[in-house]
Amino acid sequence: MPQNPEKVIDHMELFRQPEYKDVFGRKQAEFEYGHPKEEVSRVAEWTKSEEYKAKNFSREALTINPTKACQPLGAVFAAQGFEGTMPFVHGSQGCVAYYRSHLTRHFKEPNSAVSSSMTEDAAVFGGLNNMIDGLANTYSLYQPKMIAVLTTCMAEVIGDDLQGFIVNAKNKDSIPQDFPAPHAHTPAFVGSHVTGYDNMMKGVLNYFWDAEGSPAREETDSINVIGGFDGYAVGNNRELKRIFGLFGIDATILSDVSDVFDTPTDGQFRLYDGGTTLEQTKAAKNAKATISMQEYCTPQTLSYIKDKDQAVAKFNYPMGVGATDEFLLKLVELTGKPVPAELTLERGRLVDAIADSHTHIHGKRFAVYGDPDFCLGMSKFLMEMGAEPVHILSTSGSKKWDKQVQKLLDSSPFGKSGASYGGKDLWHLRSLLFTDPVDYIIGNSYGKYLERDTKIPLIRLTYPIFDRHHHHRYPTWGYQGGLNVLVRILDKILDDYDQKTNIAGETDYSFDLIR
């Protein structure tokens, strides 16, 4: 075999050695029994046609590569943004392993969450005993300040009474009577991770704000901000805190995961790090207003907060000049404080950067997919730069979202060729990319298969990003964030130029040193 301890060969080269190629060839010939290559090619070509697209868009009972995950993932993400909190998933170990790995693969950080380890007997007789034992183990082993309890499909299907189970567990001394244990029902078979985020956020606020003996609301000048399910939360939350600091605003980020998903390597293991403190969470009830950076992550939460006589405002993943303007002007309106001079300078720098580069972006056609708020924010910024969002797709997108996208497209001449595709998946997008091609795709790592198939370059700008590192550390909100997004898009466009013009003597008349 070619591999030996003296010279370890990387897997990419190793599996191209004759020994491995022979193994792969025999496996294919002796066990796979695939269709002839000619037939595979014929069908593959047919799937690129208008005829197939019509069939693809008429399917109802099958989803292929949706741009969403299940509710519990969003609930775990929201819970982890609170100080010393251990998410407790009432369901199987397999489910919680998925949530941990999904977040770890994106943030490249160890991720803690536990489960009630429900198996066949719990599915038949109910999971009360699992809850009693699980909460006791979690409390004694991991010593959290709060345990946030949520459900999975299994617990929801058998109808486990989550609140009743927690009360029973407390009565059995699994955890102290006054120990914080908010909960949220998060059935994985409806909604998505953005719904789960909303449910858990509301569950946590409801636990503290409506607790027995909780003092009545006394309004202060502080502002609450909810980031929503955001794969760039490490960079974005820190950018928000910087902006609030420049304004001099007393602000609380509810579910602040910026330190949770970015712990340093300094010889100290941190099971819990950072997060919104429980005292801040209680005090958030008295804030003057709550701002949601992602409308579709917070409908129930904002409705609950509004019922507490607190002002609310919502945005759709604000990126770029105009969206940041709107966010900052809302802060001015709520606080009466002027926009800091430093932010005004940053705005001018972003406008200057767009002007420097607009010739490369203007008129380019894009497909955008992901969460509803991201698609809205990204499409708005693209049109601001003179680009054309053509296919805007979100599996979590509703009819309301479709109308919102259309209104956005109608607001700019660069939106005239665009259309929204709420409730559709990446297999739908594949048909669109073959029948009405674009220049670039913007989305998450799952788009790399579309990139390989259609040869359209992918720009990774939303959650999850599994196959690249550290994007989450750089903000996408605010003027600084807009600059980061601009650079990410430009780098791909200029790399694409180079790849299309790099044949010496043939196409290198445009293989320019200066662009």
Side-chain angles (χ1 to χ4, degrees):
M1 298 297 283
Q3 192 68 282
N4 70 74
E6 301 300 323
K7 183 182 180 185
V8 176
I9 304 174
D10 184 87
H11 74 286
M12 284 186 286
E13 184 182 345
L14 179 68
F15 292 146
R16 293 171 188 172
Q17 302 302 312
E19 294 88 341
Y20 284 98
K21 291 176 74 172
D22 180 58
V23 168
F24 297 147
R26 284 192 287 109
K27 173 176 173 288
Q28 192 172 35
E30 296 173 15
F31 300 104
E32 294 184 1
Y33 303 108
H35 291 285
K37 289 183 179 177
E38 295 76 12
E39 179 62 5
V40 172
S41 297
R42 185 191 69 77
V43 173
E45 285 302 311
W46 176 62
T47 63
K48 302 173 185 175
S49 67
E50 287 283 356
E51 178 191 9
Y52 181 81
K53 175 186 158 188
K55 290 181 178 294
N56 191 12
F57 271 73
S58 65
R59 65 182 155 92
E60 297 178 355
L62 174 69
T63 299
I64 305 172
N65 291 339
T67 66
K68 68 173 187 176
C70 59
Q71 280 206 53
L73 176 72
V76 167
F77 183 90
Q80 287 177 328
F82 292 94
E83 173 195 23
T85 297
M86 180 63 77
F88 182 98
V89 181
H90 187 42
S92 71
Q93 291 184 9
C95 288
V96 76
Y98 160 63
Y99 315 137
R100 285 195 302 247
S101 64
H102 212 270
L103 293 166
T104 295
R105 286 168 179 170
H106 175 83
F107 290 106
K108 317 302 181 195
E109 285 283 340
N111 189 268
S112 300
V114 298
S115 82
S116 56
S117 302
M118 290 174 68
T119 52
E120 290 83 352
D121 57 339
V124 174
F125 300 110
L128 175 59
N129 290 333
N130 295 64
M131 179 75 73
I132 292 170
D133 293 341
L135 286 178
N137 289 335
T138 304
Y139 180 74
S140 60
L141 286 174
Y142 304 113
Q143 301 174 357
K145 293 185 177 179
M146 180 166 81
I147 300 175
V149 185
L150 59 136
T151 53
T152 62
C153 306
M154 185 190 291
E156 290 294 329
V157 167
I158 62 179
D160 278 355
D161 174 9
L162 207 52
Q163 186 171 13
F165 280 16
I166 295 170
V167 171
N168 269 307
K170 286 188 173 183
N171 289 338
K172 296 281 186 181
D173 295 327
S174 294
I175 52 178
Q177 288 289 342
D178 59 351
F179 186 81
H183 70 276
H185 286 278
T186 51
F189 42 78
V190 293
S192 71
H193 58 292
V194 298
T195 322
Y197 183 97
D198 190 22
N199 285 334
M200 180 51 78
M201 180 61 73
K202 182 187 172 189
V204 171
L205 298 185
N206 174 255
Y207 180 86
F208 288 109
W209 292 8
D210 291 327
E212 187 176 344
S214 175
R217 169 176 152 78
E218 292 184 16
E219 185 171 305
T220 65
D221 288 333
S222 67
I223 302 292
N224 301 325
V225 178
I226 303 175
F229 194 109
D230 175 24
Y232 286 72
V234 170
N236 279 337
N237 286 4
R238 289 174 181 165
E239 179 64 9
L240 286 177
K241 283 184 256 189
R242 186 182 72 89
I243 290 172
F244 294 140
L246 292 171
F247 262 98
I249 294 174
D250 176 17
T252 299
I253 296 178
L254 293 171
S255 181
D256 181 5
V257 297
S258 56
D259 290 337
V260 178
F261 290 122
D262 192 24
T263 56
T265 297
D266 57 1
Q268 178 186 352
F269 173 69
R270 297 168 174 83
L271 183 59
Y272 311 102
D273 195 16
T276 311
T277 69
L278 303 189
E279 290 305 314
Q280 287 175 320
T281 307
K282 294 174 190 172
K285 177 181 178 180
N286 300 321
K288 186 173 189 175
T290 294
I291 297 173
S292 168
M293 304 298 276
Q294 298 198 67
E295 174 185 1
Y296 286 91
C297 286
T298 50
Q300 294 188 64
T301 303
L302 288 192
S303 177
Y304 168 77
I305 294 173
K306 194 174 179 182
D307 286 344
K308 298 293 178 189
D309 294 327
Q310 194 179 117
V312 297
K314 56 194 175 188
F315 294 89
N316 299 114
Y317 208 88
M319 281 194 285
V321 181
T324 303
D325 287 351
E326 292 169 13
F327 172 61
L328 297 187
L329 289 175
K330 176 55 72 175
L331 293 180
V332 171
E333 176 190 326
L334 290 171
T335 65
K337 295 175 183 288
V339 175
E342 189 168 336
L343 293 178
T344 303
L345 284 174
E346 288 176 11
R347 183 185 192 279
R349 290 170 187 142
L350 175 57
V351 172
D352 184 59
I354 293 172
D356 289 344
S357 310
H358 81 280
T359 51
H360 297 297
I361 298 179
H362 185 276
K364 293 288 190 301
R365 289 159 50 87
F366 287 81
V368 179
Y369 66 87
D371 290 346
D373 292 289
F374 169 77
C375 287
L376 282 162
M378 191 70 251
S379 298
K380 182 171 181 154
F381 190 27
L382 285 174
M383 292 194 295
E384 195 169 76
M385 296 187 289
E388 299 177 15
V390 177
H391 310 306
I392 306 160
L393 184 144
S394 176
T395 310
S396 298
S398 59
K399 289 181 180 177
K400 175 194 167 189
W401 178 80
D402 278 327
K403 290 179 182 176
Q404 216 168 342
V405 173
Q406 192 58 54
K407 185 178 179 183
L408 175 67
L409 293 172
D410 292 342
S411 68
S412 165
F414 300 108
K416 63 183 179 183
S417 57
S420 67
Y421 298 92
K424 302 303 180 187
D425 56 41
L426 291 185
W427 194 251
H428 290 112
L429 183 57
R430 180 181 180 275
S431 281
L432 292 169
L433 294 176
F434 277 119
T435 56
D436 186 13
V438 296
D439 297 304
Y440 300 96
I441 307 168
I442 293 180
N444 58 30
S445 288
Y446 288 105
K448 71 186 300 178
Y449 301 104
L450 291 174
E451 180 181 42
R452 181 180 63 180
D453 215 6
T454 64
K455 314 303 180 195
I456 299 173
L458 169 68
I459 302 166
R460 294 162 177 80
L461 270 169
T462 187
Y463 180 91
I465 297 177
F466 292 155
D467 58 342
R468 298 290 186 273
H469 290 201
H470 309 307
H471 288 204
H472 60 277
R473 300 176 194 275
Y474 297 91
T476 54
W477 294 342
Y479 302 124
Q480 291 291 97
L483 189 59
N484 287 335
V485 173
L486 171 65
V487 170
R488 192 73 51 77
I489 293 172
L490 270 174
D491 278 353
K492 180 62 77 173
I493 290 175
L494 299 179
D495 281 345
D496 188 37
Y497 285 175
D498 287 344
Q499 288 179 6
K500 288 176 177 172
T501 60
N502 65 358
I503 302 175
E506 289 189 31
T507 62
D508 59 349
Y509 53 84
S510 290
F511 192 67
D512 295 335
L513 180 64
I514 302 170
R515 293 196 186 276

